Amino acid sequence: MAEKFSVVGKRITQVDAAAKVTGAARYTADLKLPGMLIGRVLHSPYPHAKIKKIDKSKAEKLPGVEAVITIDDTPKILWARSFRDLPMAPSGSLQQSDEYILADKARYVGDPVAAVAAVDEKTADEALDLIEVEYEKLPFVLDPWEAKKPGAPVIHDFAKNNIAVHVTPPPFLVKGDVEKGFAESDVVVEESYFVGKQVACQIEPHTCVASVDANDRITCYSPCQLAHPFRRELGKMFNKPVGMINVISPFVGGSFGTRLSCHNEPICVALALKTNKPVKLEYTKEEDFTATDTRTPHYYTIKMGFKKDGTLHAFTIHTTTWSGGYLGRAQLAGGITLVWGLGHYRCPNTDGWCDVVYTNVPLGGAMRGYGNPEIMWGVEQTMDIAAEKLGIDPMELRLKNIKHAGEMSNMGLPIESSYLDDCIKEGAKKIGWKEKRGKRKEGKIRQGVGMATMTHCSGAWPLLIEHSNAFIKFNEDGTISLMVNPGSPGTHIWGTLAQIAAEELGIGVEDVNIVTGSTDVTMFDLGSHASRSTYVTGNAVLEAAQQAKAQLFERAAKMLGVSPDELEVKDRQVYSVKAPDKRISVADICFNAIWALKGESLNISGKSSWTSHYNSPPTTAYFAEVEVNTETGEVKVIKFITATDCGKAINPMTVEGQCEGGIQEGIGYGLTEDYVINKKTGVVESDNFTTYKMLGTLDMPETEVIIIDKPDPKGPFGAKGVGEPGMVGIAPAIANAVYDAVGVRITDLPVLPEKVLAALKAKSA
């Protein structure tokens, strides 16, 4: 029997909506502290160069300049902007540190070489022009295939053939005997793919404000969405106890993964320590494009073997991951492609490897889906290729091979719930799959439909630790303060957590005040990533609410003269289920608890330190209908359907918003967003919104989001993650639709018109 919820499942306006739409929300760039200086960074103009000498004397003499720093003015401590050098996995740290705050050698165009702090922007910009850097240009390499060859330029001395790390799948994904499996297969498909960089294109540029108080305590304002791990990394960099650092995250103007790393924050903190004054360091949009993380590119080959009935029997993935001048987040982004790819479908024989390779380009990092959109680009096209060879409908081939509850998930744990079959069937019905698929026609404009699927995660356990805390205290008027710090990069997590707390405590969402943003006042939270916040932080909130409710019932039982076991709470009233007339308001109970003059005062509260020991994978199916102009090569998406299994939708409006945003991001990834690096100079040529085409409102097709809305047994009120699944399979669904329309397959992203025309020309020849 379906549970009846008072708050969960309702379309509730987000708690931060009014502040954002009225302009009252303050972002890091809005902050102005007394005596604040302006920071600027000097970036390398060369992709690879020794820094022989830096003369900063002229810049230091400029009136209004308070500091000019180079590597010699900062702690020479290697760090990892991904924080993966910290103990974030059961096995310990995941990667070595390879980066200084300011460069010891330029390893890409945009590598920070020096920085200044001055009284205003004009003076800071003038100071940058006065810094004289003597470079010795070195040979550079932009492509990982070239970087791996003997005799290639050496980017880091410790990385032989520029291979930063060789990654293999987790043991649970190395199964059977792949060579034997392929030999036993009736149909074997092998194809190579390329996925390039994608820029997050968040509206708020990377900005930091840092200050140091009289006790030498650092406060760092940053949109970083992993505030507590970031605080620890800052402590390591500057040799300070974490208690001497407070990281505050104001409103965040978008992320899509780019805020998982820290970027200019260490430079800003170094300037604040040097000047002993607050410093604001705000990157330009061009710096955002060239000097920070992007989605990590990959070359990879997929090989799949099938029995003639369509059963997937053998599966390998071999990936060469394109790291930049430093590891950034490329190591995990490369390794996780093996997890997403090999773990999606049921298969008895699986294996693979990944080489993460240094190159002289901007850093590979995290972006929405974190390796899943990249690998599904190939996996889902390979499934369609196999379906054609087998003579099986691509939808039926997927239904035959998807995993179900009780089987092993991509994270190596039993699947708690999976309704991917519902996603596929409902999405196919909405797009008109049986009516439209395989009906290729002649003419200038041709239409086709395509699909893709994916499995993601609700947090990263057991590959990473999953630890979140929540604290709830009742105020004497019956409202609560909910202290959490999951990071809020645009996922509306505050509203979701407020609904979870309100549902359990029988109060209204408007009675929940979110206290967040500062590591000083919140307990540890790993932060917002891996679609974890609703599932992990949500479970912490639910457990804290259950504790607070138990205290509420104890107090109410004394006041009503009944047993706590017979009490329920709804609509801000605690009542006896045996004698419903015996009731009292939550506000009266809380007032009595705090102000009673009988020596029994207490503040009703609840605290949870919640560590996940399971992981409920969300699943999604995607369906695209496209038009292809055979004369221009232009591909236009005319309709897109996303059907998602995210467990119980705490707020359906939020789920729809995440999926609709994912469609916009995914179509851009698939069709228009082309990150271009000049092969002769290493300079990024697509460094702004003019040269890098993102979809606008008028570019969007008709869209529909289908929420399967079936509860998961482990998620809070049955919820699973949904933030990243919204965009994972968009691009391959489009590519499969293009093939359905015109019979050509594009294997390297994005699907640009010139690639389609070239493929059509080759096909006709």
Side-chain angles (χ1 to χ4, degrees):
M1 191 174 85
E3 284 193 68
K4 292 182 180 179
F5 295 115
S6 299
V7 177
V8 164
K10 302 298 187 289
R11 295 173 174 271
I12 292 173
T13 301
Q14 296 302 325
V15 296
D16 56 354
K20 288 180 176 177
V21 299
T22 60
R26 297 184 72 205
Y27 299 84
T28 305
D30 296 323
L31 299 179
K32 295 180 180 178
L33 303 182
M36 188 172 71
L37 303 172
I38 301 299
R40 285 288 187 268
V41 174
L42 182 69
H43 302 277
S44 168
Y46 304 114
H48 200 197
K50 286 183 181 177
I51 302 169
K52 299 187 72 175
K53 181 183 177 183
I54 301 179
D55 185 349
K56 55 184 182 175
S57 58
K58 292 179 182 177
E60 289 175 323
K61 292 174 183 176
L62 183 68
V65 171
E66 303 243 351
V68 183
I69 62 172
T70 68
I71 187 173
D72 294 330
D73 305 292
T74 61
K76 288 189 176 67
I77 298 172
L78 288 169
W79 63 289
R81 68 177 59 203
S82 67
F83 320 138
R84 297 311 190 202
D85 58 329
L86 298 177
M88 298 189 74
S91 59
S93 61
L94 293 175
Q95 72 179 52
Q96 62 187 358
S97 302
D98 63 354
E99 197 170 354
Y100 292 111
I101 295 172
L102 292 167
D104 61 329
K105 179 178 81 165
R107 292 178 171 88
Y108 65 95
V109 175
D111 206 350
V113 171
V116 303
V119 293
D120 55 36
E121 295 176 10
K122 182 175 181 293
T123 305
D125 289 335
E126 288 178 6
L128 286 187
D129 293 336
L130 294 174
I131 300 173
E132 297 176 355
V133 185
E134 183 182 343
Y135 294 100
E136 179 187 331
K137 289 192 281 185
L138 300 172
F140 61 90
V141 59
L142 305 179
D143 185 274
W145 289 117
E146 297 299 318
K148 286 202 288 185
K149 291 180 179 178
V154 176
I155 298 173
H156 288 273
D157 293 337
F158 60 82
K160 185 179 180 181
N161 296 329
N162 290 313
I163 298 174
V165 64
H166 179 78
V167 182
T168 55
F172 58 83
L173 286 175
V174 180
K175 296 183 295 180
D177 183 331
V178 290
E179 293 308 318
K180 184 182 177 187
F182 285 123
E184 295 170 345
S185 298
D186 297 303
V187 169
V188 176
V189 179
E190 186 171 9
E191 185 62 75
S192 295
Y193 300 91
F194 170 72
V195 289
K197 286 178 172 286
Q198 184 184 23
V199 183
C201 293
Q202 80 289 347
I203 298 302
E204 179 193 20
H206 287 290
T207 307
C208 177
V209 174
S211 63
V212 184
D213 69 14
N215 295 318
D216 208 29
R217 195 165 188 270
I218 297 169
T219 299
C220 178
Y221 297 87
S222 163
C224 180
Q225 62 199 70
L226 304 178
H228 285 274
F230 175 37
R231 177 176 70 156
R232 181 165 174 172
E233 190 69 44
L234 282 177
K236 172 192 167 185
M237 273 186 267
F238 293 98
N239 196 27
K240 280 186 174 291
V242 293
M244 290 292 287
I245 302 169
N246 182 23
V247 174
I248 299 176
S249 299
F251 282 89
V252 178
S255 170
F256 312 109
T258 190
R259 314 291 193 186
L260 287 179
S261 301
C262 59
H263 299 284
N264 54 13
E265 292 95 337
I267 302 172
C268 190
V269 170
L271 288 169
L273 287 167
K274 181 77 171 178
T275 61
N276 204 31
K277 291 183 179 180
V279 177
K280 178 192 287 185
L281 177 54
E282 180 180 347
Y283 270 177
T284 64
K285 188 47 65 179
E286 286 77 14
E287 286 175 300
D288 264 3
F289 272 77
T290 60
T292 65
D293 296 359
T294 64
R295 187 182 292 281
T296 300
H298 312 267
Y299 292 109
Y300 58 88
T301 298
I302 285 176
K303 188 176 181 181
M304 287 181 169
F306 293 84
K307 296 290 190 177
K308 58 187 172 184
D309 67 350
T311 301
L312 179 59
H313 190 60
F315 187 4
T316 59
I317 299 174
H318 297 150
T319 306
T320 296
T321 292
W322 195 340
S323 181
Y326 305 95
L327 266 176
R329 285 181 169 267
Q331 177 172 333
L332 193 57
I336 202 71
T337 60
L338 304 176
V339 172
W340 302 137
L342 296 172
H344 179 44
Y345 290 110
R346 183 189 309 109
C347 185
N349 303 291
T350 56
D351 203 354
W353 53 257
C354 169
D355 279 341
V356 184
V357 184
Y358 284 121
T359 55
N360 294 118
V361 301
L363 276 58
M367 197 172 163
R368 192 176 188 179
Y370 207 9
N372 213 344
E374 294 90 315
I375 201 67
M376 285 301 137
W377 167 248
V379 169
E380 290 301 282
Q381 288 202 71
T382 307
M383 286 294 285
D384 263 37
I385 296 169
E388 186 174 40
K389 287 181 178 291
L390 290 161
I392 298 175
D393 185 310
M395 180 183 74
E396 298 300 332
L397 185 63
R398 288 172 172 84
L399 285 169
K400 185 175 186 63
N401 290 288
I402 60 174
K403 295 178 179 179
H404 300 283
E407 296 185 69
M408 187 187 72
S409 75
N410 51 7
M411 305 298 277
L413 298 170
I415 295 173
E416 300 292 344
S417 68
S418 178
Y419 302 102
L420 183 53
D421 51 348
D422 290 346
C423 296
I424 293 171
K425 292 170 184 175
E426 291 300 316
K429 202 181 301 179
K430 285 287 185 181
I431 203 74
W433 181 263
K434 292 190 181 297
E435 297 80 11
K436 297 174 181 176
R437 175 75 184 181
K439 306 296 192 296
R440 192 179 299 158
K441 298 177 181 178
E442 296 302 311
K444 174 185 171 183
I445 306 295
R446 303 181 193 176
Q447 293 185 341
V449 294
M451 69 169 293
T453 63
M454 72 99 226
T455 305
H456 203 63
C457 61
S458 298
W461 179 261
L463 302 184
L464 301 179
I465 65 166
E466 279 299 344
H467 178 201
S468 287
N469 287 264
F471 179 72
I472 288 173
K473 74 178 181 77
F474 269 102
N475 303 308
E476 55 259 60
D477 60 358
T479 63
I480 68 166
S481 295
L482 170 58
M483 276 154 269
V484 286
N485 200 6
S488 183
T491 56
H492 300 301
I493 186 60
W494 297 344
T496 298
L497 298 180
Q499 283 180 262
I500 291 170
E503 183 68 50
E504 182 63 19
L505 294 171
I507 59 178
V509 172
E510 61 273 23
D511 299 331
V512 181
N513 175 46
I514 301 290
V515 180
T516 189
S518 168
T519 55
D520 267 1
V521 299
T522 58
M523 294 183 289
F524 182 86
D525 196 297
L526 193 61
S528 174
H529 77 129
S531 298
R532 71 182 295 278
S533 298
T534 296
Y535 190 79
V536 182
T537 308
N539 266 319
V541 169
L542 179 59
E543 189 172 83
Q546 289 166 346
Q547 289 183 16
K549 185 166 76 170
Q551 290 185 18
L552 185 75
F553 283 2
E554 267 189 49
R555 193 73 180 196
K558 289 181 180 180
M559 297 173 73
L560 294 172
V562 299
S563 167
D565 296 339
E566 65 185 76
L567 294 178
E568 289 291 347
V569 59
K570 189 175 182 180
D571 298 330
R572 305 182 181 91
Q573 296 281 316
V574 175
Y575 62 94
S576 167
V577 293
K578 294 181 179 178
D581 289 341
K582 288 190 173 183
R583 61 179 55 229
I584 188 171
S585 72
V586 171
D588 285 345
I589 300 166
C590 294
F591 186 89
N592 176 271
I594 289 175
W595 294 105
L597 301 178
K598 299 178 181 178
E600 298 177 347
S601 298
L602 80 152
N603 198 148
I604 297 171
S605 62
K607 180 187 80 69
S608 170
S609 291
W610 203 84
T611 301
S612 182
H613 294 290
Y614 32 81
N615 190 318
S616 299
T619 59
T620 305
Y622 315 83
F623 292 83
E625 184 172 1
V626 304
E627 287 182 348
V628 182
N629 187 320
T630 57
E631 293 182 1
T632 65
E634 181 186 11
V635 177
K636 184 178 181 182
V637 180
I638 56 177
K639 188 174 184 179
F640 204 95
I641 306 291
T642 294
T644 190
D645 154 37
C646 60
K648 176 65 185 173
I650 302 295
N651 186 338
M653 189 162 58
T654 296
V655 173
E656 290 165 356
Q658 288 297 299
C659 292
E660 288 163 0
I663 292 171
Q664 182 271 349
E665 209 163 32
I667 295 175
Y669 186 47
L671 295 182
T672 65
E673 297 184 34
D674 194 17
Y675 190 89
V676 179
I677 300 174
N678 188 300
K679 293 179 181 179
K680 293 182 179 180
T681 63
V683 172
V684 176
E685 295 182 341
S686 51
D687 63 354
N688 57 62
F689 289 136
T690 301
T691 53
Y692 184 88
K693 172 58 180 170
M694 218 177 44
L695 261 67
T697 305
L698 299 179
D699 300 312
M700 287 293 288
E702 175 191 347
T703 64
E704 185 173 350
V705 176
I706 301 168
I707 304 173
I708 300 304
D709 206 30
K710 293 184 178 181
D712 176 82
K714 300 295 188 183
F717 295 109
K720 298 192 282 190
V722 75
E724 292 170 286
M727 82 87 53
V728 169
I730 311 293
I734 293 169
N736 287 332
V738 169
Y739 184 83
D740 186 49
V742 295
V744 299
R745 190 162 291 286
I746 309 300
T747 57
D748 59 319
L749 276 171
V751 183
L752 298 173
E754 53 265 39
K755 295 178 185 178
V756 176
L757 283 178
L760 287 170
K761 184 177 179 181
K763 180 189 175 190
S764 65

